[in-house]
C-alpha cells in the first residue's frame, strides 16, 4: 500500500480518502487483525535494535551453514576464532527462519528477501535448499559441539535459539517432526517454534495466535512478527504417532507424512479377532492437528490431486478454497445417501473403533454412529481453516459425557463425526457442533471391506487412498508421542 496522501492530494472536497484507498486500508487492517498482531500495530520496532537481538555472530553463521552444506558437524571449524569468543557480543534472541518459497503464492520469494535483509542470509533457510533434519543434524549440532568445547557465544545461542517457520501447516509439522529428534537423542532444550502462516488452512497458526494469513501489504509486519517471535511466551503441543498395519499389500500413494516401517507393532493388550494374513506391512507417521477417515478425506484427496495436476488453477488461499468447495459438492457427500446402496454409506459398515479414555489403561469399544460418514480425531481447537467443530462445551455437558475441556496439551484427542454434506456444512459454519463420539488417549481403528474396496484417510491435510479387503482387517493405531513440541504464542 502506498503512503497516505498529504493534505490537498485527495480528490474529495473535504480532504477525505478515496473509496478505493479506504477499502484497501480496511482490508489491510482486517488482515492484520486476523494475523493476531493488531495490538502491536501501534508499537514502533527499531530495525537496528531488532537485528542486534536476532543476529548471530558471523563466524557462527558461516560455520553452521558450512556444516549443513557439507553434511559434516566439523565442516565449519575453520570459521571459529582461535582466540575464543569471550568478547564477541551474543544476541539475546538468536533466530533461524525456515521458509517454504512455494507457499504464499507469489509472495513467498518476496518475504524471503525481506527476512534475509532484516536478519542475514545464513539465518533464513530456504526449504528447497536446506531440509529441517539437515539443520538439526549438522547446523545445530555444529553449534552444540562448540558450546560443549567452551565457546561462550555458541553456548548462549544454543540455549536461547528460536525457530520461525514461514509456510503452511504441513511445513510447520515437517519442522516440528525434525526438531523431535532432539528429544529422542537427549539434546535439550528444543527450540520453540513461531509461525508465519503462508498455507491455505493454517490451523496450527491460528491455534497459537499467529492468525490465518500473513498481511503482505503491511510493510512493517515482518518486524513485528520477528519481535513477537523473540519475546512471546511458550506453550506445549501434543503430537500423535500413527501406525497403519496393512494385510499383505502397500498403501496406495502414501503421503510424505507416512513412511514404511520395518519394526512396528500394535498394542498387544487389545487382541485381534479373526485370522491374520501371512504377511503384513507397517507404515508410521506423526500428526499435530488431526487424523480423519471418510468423506472429508476423500474430498481432500480429490483436491490434492487436482492441485498437483493443474497447479496454475490453484494459486493462493482463495482459489484453493473455491476449488475445495467444488470437490465437497462433487464427491458424493451430498447425494450418496440418495443414490447408493446402504452398504456403501456410513462408516459403521467398515469401521470398528476402540479407545482408551482419560485416566484409563483399558481398551473400550466405541460404537460408530450409523449416520456418520467421516470420523475425525482432533488435537487442536481449529480445523478446516479456523472452524471449531468440537464446539465450546458447557461444564454440565462435559460432566454428563465424561469429557474434560479440550486443550492442545492434555494428552487427549477429541473424536467427532460428520454426517452427510449438509450436516458438515452446518458444522463448518459453526451453526451446530459435530457429532461427539469420544475423548481418547489412544485409538485403535479396524477396517474391513464388505462392499468397500478402499477407504480415504488423511493426516494434517495430507490425504491418501487406502485399499481394504473383506478377508483381513486393516488397522490404524494412534498414541501420543512421549515428548511435546514447544510453540511460541503470537497473541
Amino acid at each position: 500500500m502506498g503512503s497516505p496522501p498529504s493534505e490537498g492530494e485527495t480528490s474529495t472536497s473535504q480532504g477525505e480518502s478515496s473509496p478505493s484507498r479506504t477499502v484497501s486500508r480496511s482490508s489491510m487492517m482486517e488482515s492484520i487483525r486476523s494475523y493476531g498482531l493488531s495490538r502491536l500495530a501501534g508499537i514502533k520496532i527499531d530495525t537496528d535494535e531488532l537485528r542486534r537481538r536476532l543476529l548471530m555472530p558471523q563466524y557462527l553463521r558461516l560455520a553452521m551453514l558450512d556444516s549443513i552444506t557439507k553434511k559434516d558437524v566439523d565442516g565449519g571449524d575453520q570459521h571459529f576464532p582461535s582466540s575464543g569468543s569471550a568478547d564477541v557480543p551474543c544476541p539475546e534472541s538468536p533466530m533461524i527462519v525456515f521458509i517454504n518459497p512455494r507457499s504464499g503464492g507469489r509472495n513467498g520469494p518476496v518475504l524471503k528477501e525481506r527476512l534475509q535483509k532484516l536478519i542475514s542470509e545464513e539465518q533464513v533457510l530456504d526449504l528447497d535448499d536446506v531440509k529441517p533434519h539437515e539443520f538439526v543434524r549438522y547446523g545445530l549440532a555444529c553449534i552444540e559441539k562448540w558450546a560443549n568445547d567452551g565457546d561462550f557465544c555458541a553456548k548462549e545461542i544454543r540455549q536461547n535459539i528460536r525457530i520461525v517457520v514461514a509456510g503452511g501447516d504441513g511445513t510447520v509439522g515437517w519442522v516440528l517432526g525434525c526438531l523431535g529428534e532432539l528429544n529422542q537423542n537427549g539434546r535439550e532444550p528444543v527450540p520453540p517454534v513461531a509461525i508465519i502462516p503462508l498455507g491455505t488452512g493454517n490451523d496450527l497458526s491460528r491455534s497459537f495466535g499467529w492468525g490465518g494469513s500473513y498481511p503482505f501489504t503491511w510493510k512493517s509486519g515482518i518486524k513485528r512478527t520477528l519481535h513477537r517471535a523473540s519475546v512471546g511466551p511458550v506453550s506445549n503441543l501434543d503430537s500423535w504417532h500413527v501406525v497403519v498395519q496393512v494385510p499383505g499389500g502397500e498403501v496406495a500413494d502414501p503421503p510424505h507424512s507416512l513412511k514404511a516401517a520395518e519394526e512396528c507393532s500394535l498394542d498387544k493388550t487389545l487382541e485381534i479377532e479373526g485370522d491374520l494374513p501371512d504377511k503384513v506391512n507397517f507404515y508410521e507417521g506423526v500428526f499435530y492437528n488431526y487424523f480423519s477417515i471418510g468423506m472429508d478425506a476423500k474430498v481432500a484427496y480429490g483436491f490434492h490431486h487436482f492441485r498437483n495436476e493443474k497447479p496454475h488453477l490453484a494459486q493462493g488461499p482463495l482459489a484453493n478454497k473455491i476449488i475445495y468447495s467444488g470437490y465437497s459438492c462433487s464427491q458424493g457427500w451430498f447425494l450418496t445417501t440418495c443414490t447408493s446402496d446402504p452398504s456403501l454409506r456410513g462408516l459403521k459398515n467398515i469401521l470398528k473403533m476402540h479407545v482408551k479414555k482419560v485416566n484409563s489403561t483399558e481398551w473400550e469399544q466405541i460404537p460408530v454412529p450409523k449416520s456418520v460418514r467421516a470420523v475425525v480425531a482432533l488435537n487442536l481447537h481449529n480445523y478446516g481453516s479456523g472452524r471449531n467443530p468440537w464446539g465450546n462445551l458447557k461444564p454440565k455437558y462435559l460432566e454428563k459425557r465424561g469429557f474434560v475441556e479440550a486443550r492442545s496439551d492434555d494428552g487427549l484427542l477429541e473424536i467427532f463425526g460428520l454426517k452427510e454434506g449438509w450436516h458438515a456444512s452446518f458444522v463448518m459454519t459453526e451453526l451446530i457442533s459435530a457429532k461427539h463420539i469420544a475423548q481418547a488417549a489412544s485409538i485403535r481403528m479396524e477396517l474391513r471391506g464388505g462392499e468397500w474396496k478402499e477407504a480415504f484417510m488423511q493426516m494434517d491435510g495430507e490425504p491418501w487412498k487406502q485399499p481394504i479387503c473383506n478377508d483381513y482387517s486393516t488397522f490404524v493405531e494412534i498414541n501420543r508421542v512421549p515428548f511435546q513440541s514447544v510453540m511460541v504464542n503470537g497473541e
Side-chain angles (χ1 to χ4, degrees), residues 62-325:
L62 296 175
M64 179 189 72
L65 198 59
D66 276 0
S67 294
I68 294 171
T69 302
K70 298 175 183 177
K71 294 181 173 54
D72 181 1
V73 174
D74 302 323
D77 286 1
Q78 70 274 17
H79 297 292
F80 280 83
S82 57
S83 59
S85 63
D87 58 344
V88 177
C90 296
E92 299 170 20
S93 303
M95 192 167 291
I96 296 293
V97 180
F98 288 102
I99 183 165
N100 184 348
R102 303 180 188 182
S103 298
R106 294 168 296 175
N107 293 304
V110 175
L111 181 62
K112 173 185 171 182
E113 184 178 350
R114 288 185 191 175
L115 287 164
Q116 288 178 333
K117 287 182 178 179
L118 191 57
I119 313 176
S120 71
E121 291 188 9
E122 297 86 1
Q123 287 174 243
V124 180
L125 304 179
D126 187 321
L127 286 167
D128 281 346
D129 303 323
V130 177
K131 304 301 183 278
H133 71 271
E134 295 173 343
F135 165 75
V136 170
R137 296 173 188 175
Y138 306 110
L140 194 60
C142 167
I143 295 174
E144 289 173 346
K145 169 194 167 184
W146 283 93
N148 293 333
D149 287 346
D151 186 279
F152 175 77
C153 204
K155 183 177 180 180
E156 289 293 304
I157 285 174
R158 179 61 186 91
Q159 186 69 28
N160 298 319
I161 194 169
R162 291 189 171 197
I163 305 292
V164 175
V165 181
D169 284 349
T171 304
V172 178
W174 183 19
V175 173
L176 290 175
C178 293
L179 291 175
E181 292 184 18
L182 299 174
N183 278 318
Q184 297 169 13
N185 298 322
R187 294 169 58 190
E188 288 87 4
V190 178
V193 174
I195 303 172
I196 298 176
L198 302 183
T200 301
N202 298 313
D203 288 307
L204 263 171
S205 175
R206 297 173 196 269
S207 297
F208 290 94
W210 296 102
S213 62
Y214 179 74
F216 287 100
T217 54
W218 189 26
K219 291 185 178 180
S220 61
I222 190 60
K223 290 195 296 184
R224 285 162 171 76
T225 298
L226 296 178
H227 169 75
R228 188 58 181 163
S230 68
V231 301
V234 301
S235 56
N236 293 326
L237 169 66
D238 288 331
S239 55
W240 296 86
H241 181 239
V242 178
V243 174
V244 182
Q245 178 181 301
V246 184
E250 296 185 354
V251 174
D253 192 21
H256 295 296
S257 55
L258 201 65
K259 307 296 184 184
E262 293 184 2
E263 296 184 8
C264 238
S265 63
L266 304 178
D267 188 337
K268 292 181 172 56
T269 62
L270 179 59
E271 294 186 5
I272 297 175
E273 299 178 0
D275 297 331
L276 292 174
D278 295 332
K279 179 184 178 182
V280 295
N281 292 329
F282 287 99
Y283 294 81
E284 64 179 345
V286 173
F287 70 90
Y288 298 87
N289 191 354
Y290 66 91
F291 174 92
S292 72
I293 175 173
M295 282 303 301
D296 71 319
K298 184 177 181 181
V299 171
Y301 182 83
F303 167 76
H304 179 80
H305 278 264
F306 177 87
R307 184 173 58 180
N308 287 344
E309 292 171 2
K310 300 179 179 180
H312 60 284
L313 296 179
Q315 293 187 353
L318 180 58
N320 288 343
K321 289 174 182 176
I322 292 172
I323 297 169
Y324 201 98
S325 299

Side-chain angles (χ1 to χ4, degrees), residues 4-18:
S6 60
E7 187 177 357
E9 286 183 332
T10 58
S11 60
T12 58
S13 59
Q14 299 298 321
E16 299 167 348
S17 297
S18 67

